[in-house]
Amino acid sequence: MPTQIDQHGVSLSLPKRSGCIVQTGESRMTTVPKFVIGNWKMQARHEHGLQLARDVSRRLKDTPPPAHLHTIICPPFTQLDGVNQALKTADLPHERLALGAQDCYPASSGPFTGDISAPMIRDLGARYVILGHSERRQNHGETDAIIRQKVKAATAAGLVPIVCIGEHLAERNEGRAASVLSTQIEGSLTRGFRGILAYEPVWAIGSGITPSREELQRKLTLIRALLPMRLMTDDIRVPVLYGGSVTAVQAPSIMSIEAVDGVLVGSASLEAQSFLDIIDAAAEATLPQPSP
């Protein structure tokens, strides 16, 4: 597919958005799955994490969101087992509320003190794992090549990788965002990648700053244009999420952008009500639209 990319975005004809078909009477409705993912990072001690998981699961059980809205919570390694038990007690389908981890090691086992492998994470009930977060890239020196190895390990263990990409402020200001995102997609993803991609501009994480709707639409359009070239097919639809200071106040506007398939939430996922408000905003955005 011919593509022209500049510092502002991309100009091309995108593949038609795929989705699941819901039959309602005589009308056919098309819905595209949405995701709300909570990344607790290195926060929330044991009791707080358990209570948070209980509060979220109780609300989602009492007031179920649409079937095509998937909620995932990603606690620290030390809380995976406890949170998994809390989710089991709630007895919710994993499509409604699932467990994820925040990282994994590329090897499945071995003499790697302090590291956690993908099979270990899967043993604790996790179905997803966040990889390549900017904090890992910056604080631990993780390269695209390392992240790609982790993607392979996660996939082999039966986990769905959630890969983060995003440019720094200087790269954005210098008009290099497109080339940075292209390099990260090419280097971090495997051919035939079947996971989730999260666009997290580094300059927005923890800053309280969110890109304008126009900028976010351009960036996500660019990412969608780059994906088929890396995957070598138009048939795989990779959900593309936004992350970076997502709050309950900002969520409705973010989720209303057509190119957004969901949000990766940081600090706002550490308080049950704010996280549930974001889930509600995502649920509103997933209302089926008539198919053409």
Side-chain angles (χ1 to χ4, degrees):
M1 177 184 300
T3 306
Q4 293 181 342
I5 301 172
D6 60 22
Q7 67 186 57
H8 302 294
V10 61
S11 175
L12 81 168
S13 297
L14 290 176
K16 184 178 179 180
R17 289 168 66 94
S18 61
C20 54
I21 303 299
V22 179
Q23 191 76 31
T24 307
E26 296 300 320
S27 64
R28 294 169 74 247
M29 308 294 281
T30 300
T31 58
V32 176
K34 302 284 183 179
F35 296 83
V36 176
I37 303 175
N39 177 15
W40 294 3
K41 305 189 179 184
M42 197 179 72
Q43 303 181 88
R45 299 287 288 273
H46 182 67
E47 285 303 321
H48 176 75
L50 289 181
Q51 189 60 51
L52 181 55
R54 294 188 194 108
D55 290 344
V56 172
S57 59
R58 185 182 303 116
R59 160 65 188 283
L60 295 185
K61 188 168 186 176
D62 293 342
T63 310
H68 44 275
L69 176 62
H70 306 282
T71 301
I72 304 162
I73 52 177
C74 301
F77 289 135
T78 55
Q79 297 200 43
L80 284 174
D81 185 52
V83 171
N84 183 46
Q85 296 306 316
L87 299 189
K88 282 184 177 180
T89 301
D91 194 27
L92 285 168
H94 67 81
E95 293 87 357
R96 184 171 299 166
L97 181 60
L99 181 66
Q102 298 177 20
D103 187 41
C104 72
Y105 194 73
S108 60
S109 64
F112 306 107
T113 302
D115 290 308
I116 307 292
S117 72
M120 291 175 175
I121 292 169
R122 190 68 184 90
D123 278 349
L124 292 177
R127 293 177 177 270
Y128 298 83
V129 60
I130 299 171
L131 300 173
H133 194 283
S134 64
E135 292 159 358
R136 299 288 310 180
R137 292 177 185 262
Q138 183 170 323
N139 299 335
H140 297 270
E142 292 192 0
T143 63
D144 292 333
I146 291 173
I147 294 162
R148 187 170 64 252
Q149 291 174 3
K150 292 185 175 187
V151 169
K152 292 179 180 178
T155 303
L159 296 171
V160 177
I162 304 164
V163 178
C164 301
I165 61 172
E167 78 279 5
H168 288 267
L169 182 61
E171 294 165 337
R172 172 183 181 245
N173 292 343
E174 294 167 4
R176 295 192 288 118
S179 62
V180 169
L181 295 175
S182 177
T183 298
Q184 290 178 340
I185 288 174
E186 179 67 24
S188 301
L189 304 188
T190 54
R191 296 291 170 90
F193 174 77
R194 291 185 179 273
I196 298 170
L197 198 62
Y199 170 59
E200 288 200 311
V202 181
W203 48 271
I205 298 173
S207 68
I209 301 172
T210 304
S212 67
R213 290 176 58 86
E214 294 74 17
E215 179 176 359
L216 191 50
Q217 179 70 45
R218 288 198 305 268
K219 294 289 179 58
L220 294 179
T221 301
L222 166 65
I223 290 168
R224 292 194 185 284
L226 294 168
L227 278 170
M229 293 185 286
R230 174 56 181 150
L231 304 180
M232 302 300 290
T233 178
D234 290 341
D235 296 332
I236 301 174
R237 189 186 188 285
V238 175
V240 181
L241 280 52
Y242 171 74
S245 296
V246 176
T247 67
V249 173
Q250 298 162 331
S253 176
I254 294 171
M255 293 298 304
S256 68
I257 299 173
E258 182 182 2
V260 174
D261 290 325
V263 286
L264 178 58
V265 186
S267 59
S269 68
L270 291 166
E271 199 277 320
Q273 190 56 57
S274 64
F275 190 53
L276 289 166
D277 287 344
I278 293 172
I279 294 172
D280 288 342
E284 182 70 20
T286 62
L287 292 175
Q289 301 298 320
S291 60

